């Protein structure tokens, strides 16, 4: 049963702590990465046979396989995928940055140019669940940014096939290439390249502990989006909220993972008790009841604050991945929220809207990193390069100042590189 805690009467460590199983897989992952680096496709085939029980003769999904997959998906779901993709495109198109040039001073030009990364790789989890939403959310911003080649890696089933809804979503998102490989070996293949899988500049997408560790180990050789932890939701709800709705929203994250965190913050003890009762009613009805049960029992909390304003303070300290504001006038609270991955406003805006359909990205910072990190966006797939131009006259006007500054830092070669050009005045 979920714990109900009064904020004013307990140690803050109890509020902000979370039980989580964090196995150390770094040694296993480093071995996999090294083998793929040295042996390329051969290692990928070997690991795919070992972990996915699939004996493959080729790694890349063919155009015919994609066409067959799209044809096999029910038309109604294809319609929904296309509608979601359009919402995602509309939202992320507003994130596009433009290059700029500043030339307000005579003889001086500075600026910044925006360049997309050439090639990006997206990891899409496989196994018991398929996540076409991840394909849309992570591929569409990349294509909007101008990435020339977007590659997906995703584990096949034992027959060597990819879930058709993954391939359908990839087709709708405009993905360029898809490979049948998962786990740490997929991340290694993207980072180093193999005979079949090209080396990429950036790797994005969620995965299990092995995938997360692999992303961590290849960072620096390639860029990554983030190291995502277990899912989180914090619902801030006033006493007028429907307890059944609130419980359902908490469970929408609890069913993800036994380590997921679902937290309700409210000023109403009556709501807290009713939500606890609702959780007990709803959990047995879920297909993933065992996972949700463990998540709620280990990491679920209901925090009874003195006021909603205090609830916002708690939310800012937790910096949750998902934050719901279940109140009548959520825009009144928006400016007070400083730390959250994505905010869901009002009583009729469940977090699931953000996971699938609304348009804002669902790849979000977890584990309190929303204090300094942002959701995945078009920015993740571009580089910003500065440039500077000075005429001779413009340099001569400031060369002594630059030299003086450099000498204050003890860097005399820096200083000389600026003032040496002044010798031309006396020539």
């Amino acid at each position: 049963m979920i714990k109900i805690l009064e904020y004013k009467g307990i140690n803050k460590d109890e509020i902000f702590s979370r039980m989580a199983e964090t196995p150390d897989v770094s040694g296993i992952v480093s071995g996999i990465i090294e083998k793929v680096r040295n042996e390329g496709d051969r290692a990928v085939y070997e690991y795919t046979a070992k972990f996915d029980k699939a004996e493959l003769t080729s790694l890349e999904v063919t155009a015919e396989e994609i066409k067959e997959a799209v044809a096999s998906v029910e038309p109604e779901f294809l319609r929904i995928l296309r509608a979601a993709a359009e919402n995602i495109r509309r939202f992320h198109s507003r994130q596009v940055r433009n290059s700029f040039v500043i030339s307000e001073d005579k003889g001086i030009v500075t600026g910044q140019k925006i360049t997309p990364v050439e090639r990006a790789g997206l990891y899409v989890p496989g196994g018991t669940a398929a996540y076409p939403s991840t394909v849309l959310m992570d591929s569409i911003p990349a294509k909007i940014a101008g990435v020339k080649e977007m590659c997906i890696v995703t584990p096949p089933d034992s027959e060597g096939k990819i879930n058709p809804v993954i391939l359908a979503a990839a087709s709708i998102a405009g993905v360029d290439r898809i490979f049948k490989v998962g786990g740490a070996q997929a991340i290694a293949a993207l980072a180093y390249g193999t005979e079949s899988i090209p080396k990429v500049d950036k790797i994005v997408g969620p995965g299990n502990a092995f995938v997360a560790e692999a992303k961590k180990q290849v960072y620096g050789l390639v860029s990554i989006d983030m190291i995502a932890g277990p899912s989180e939701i914090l619902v801030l709800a006033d006493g007028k909220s429907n307890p059944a709705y609130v419980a359902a929203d908490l469970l929408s994250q609890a069913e993800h993972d036994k380590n997921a965190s679902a937290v309700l913050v409210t000023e109403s003890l009556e709501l807290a008790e009713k939500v606890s009762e609702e959780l007990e009613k709803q959990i047995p009805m879920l297909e993933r009841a065992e996972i949700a049960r463990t998540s709620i029992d280990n990491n679920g909390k209901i925090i009874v604050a003195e006021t909603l304003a205090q609830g916002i303070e708690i939310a800012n300290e937790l910096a949750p991945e998902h934050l719901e504001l279940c109140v009548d006038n959520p825009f009144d609270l928006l400016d007070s929220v400083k730390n959250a991955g994505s905010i869901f406003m009002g009583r009729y805006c469940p977090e699931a809207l953000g996971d699938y359909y609304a348009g804002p990205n669902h790849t979000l910072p977890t584990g309190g990193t929303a204090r300094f990190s942002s959701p995945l966006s078009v920015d993740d797939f571009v580089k910003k390069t500065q440039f500077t131009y000075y005429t001779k006259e413009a340099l001569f006007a400031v060369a002594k100042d630059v030299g003086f500054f450099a000498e204050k830092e003890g860097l005399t070669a820096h200083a000389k590189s600026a003032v040496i050009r002044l010798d031309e005045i006396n020539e």
Side-chain angles (χ1 to χ4, degrees):
M1 180 173 288
I2 197 166
K3 296 179 284 293
I4 299 178
L5 310 170
E6 288 194 41
Y7 185 68
K8 65 180 180 180
I10 62 171
N11 188 308
K12 283 189 178 182
D13 289 343
E14 188 174 356
I15 291 177
F16 301 115
S17 66
R18 178 163 71 179
M19 294 174 61
E21 300 172 10
T22 53
D24 182 4
V25 297
S26 57
I28 297 172
V29 168
S30 64
I32 292 172
I33 291 173
E34 190 62 22
K35 187 175 177 67
V36 172
R37 179 183 182 183
N38 292 330
E39 299 181 18
D41 279 358
R42 178 182 172 184
V44 172
Y45 282 119
E46 183 179 321
Y47 285 126
T48 302
K50 179 178 180 179
F51 297 127
D52 301 306
K53 312 304 179 187
E55 298 288 347
L56 302 179
T57 55
S58 63
L59 294 174
E60 187 163 4
V61 175
T62 65
E64 186 61 30
E65 286 177 292
I66 295 171
K67 183 178 178 180
E68 290 176 1
V70 173
S72 73
V73 176
E74 56 196 298
E76 178 65 4
F77 188 51
L78 286 176
R79 180 191 68 78
I80 294 169
L81 282 174
R82 292 189 180 105
E86 181 55 34
N87 291 340
I88 295 165
R89 285 192 186 96
R90 185 185 304 114
F91 180 85
H92 289 81
S93 292
R94 300 294 293 270
Q95 297 175 337
V96 174
R97 290 180 179 266
N98 296 314
S99 301
F100 63 82
V101 176
I102 302 171
S103 56
E104 297 170 357
D105 296 324
K106 186 177 180 180
I108 300 173
V109 180
T110 58
Q112 177 177 279
K113 74 185 192 79
I114 304 296
T115 309
V117 300
E118 287 286 317
R119 185 183 289 123
L122 165 60
Y123 188 91
V124 180
T128 58
Y131 297 105
S133 59
T134 295
V135 176
L136 300 181
M137 289 287 181
D138 290 32
S139 296
I140 290 173
K143 300 307 289 186
I144 290 172
V147 173
K148 288 184 178 178
E149 190 170 75
M150 187 70 192
C151 303
I152 282 180
V153 289
T154 188
D157 63 19
S158 59
E159 296 181 358
K161 297 184 180 297
I162 303 299
N163 192 305
V165 297
I166 296 296
L167 298 182
S171 177
I172 290 168
V175 170
D176 299 288
R177 303 178 72 181
I178 306 166
F179 298 93
K180 303 174 182 181
V181 54
Q185 60 271 24
I187 302 301
L190 290 174
Y192 288 99
T194 72
E195 296 88 338
S196 299
I197 302 172
K199 182 184 187 304
V200 303
D201 302 303
K202 180 144 194 172
I203 300 173
V204 300
N208 61 19
F210 294 91
V211 171
E213 178 62 29
K215 287 170 69 177
K216 186 186 300 183
Q217 290 191 22
V218 300
Y219 175 66
L221 175 66
V222 294
S223 177
I224 63 172
D225 51 352
M226 62 186 76
I227 305 296
S231 298
E232 306 161 355
I233 187 170
L234 189 152
V235 178
L236 180 69
D238 62 20
K240 295 188 290 181
S241 299
N242 185 318
Y245 297 174
V246 173
D249 292 357
L250 293 172
L251 291 173
S252 72
Q253 292 307 292
E255 74 170 350
H256 264 301
D257 186 331
K258 291 181 179 181
N259 294 328
S261 172
V263 177
L264 166 64
V265 179
T266 180
E267 90 287 18
S268 168
L269 180 59
E270 181 182 3
L271 178 69
E273 292 171 343
K274 287 182 178 179
V275 169
S276 177
E277 293 170 4
E278 273 294 330
L279 288 169
E280 296 307 306
K281 292 178 186 176
Q282 293 186 28
I283 288 174
M285 300 168 63
L286 300 175
E287 287 188 14
R288 296 166 69 91
E290 181 186 358
I291 292 172
R293 174 87 273 164
T294 302
S295 169
I296 290 296
D297 288 351
N298 289 352
N299 299 313
K301 297 181 182 73
I302 299 177
I303 302 169
V304 181
E306 294 178 336
T307 63
L308 284 181
Q310 187 180 68
I312 290 287
E313 293 176 6
I314 296 168
N316 282 331
E317 190 161 353
L318 278 170
E321 178 186 15
H322 307 95
L323 172 63
E324 289 189 9
L325 301 178
C326 293
V327 296
D328 286 333
N329 300 302
F331 287 95
D332 292 345
L333 301 179
L334 184 58
D335 285 347
S336 300
V337 177
K338 306 301 180 186
N339 303 321
S342 194
I343 306 171
F344 302 86
M345 314 277 286
R347 304 188 192 281
Y348 296 93
C349 192
E351 178 277 331
L353 273 172
D355 272 352
Y356 302 113
Y357 199 81
N361 210 281
H362 79 188
T363 301
L364 304 170
T366 60
T369 60
R371 292 180 295 108
F372 50 80
S373 298
S374 305
L376 188 80
S377 72
V378 171
D379 278 351
D380 283 281
F381 299 98
V382 300
K383 302 170 291 180
K384 307 170 192 73
T385 306
Q386 305 169 159
F387 59 87
T388 304
Y389 169 78
Y390 271 55
T391 63
K392 180 194 294 187
E393 293 75 20
L395 173 64
F396 285 2
V398 300
K400 289 182 179 179
D401 289 352
V402 174
F404 189 77
F405 202 142
E407 287 175 355
K408 284 296 182 183
E409 292 193 347
L411 299 174
T412 55
H414 279 66
K416 187 172 183 179
S417 71
V419 301
I420 194 172
R421 288 167 168 78
L422 294 176
D423 292 345
E424 291 185 24
I425 295 174
N426 300 319
E427 292 177 357

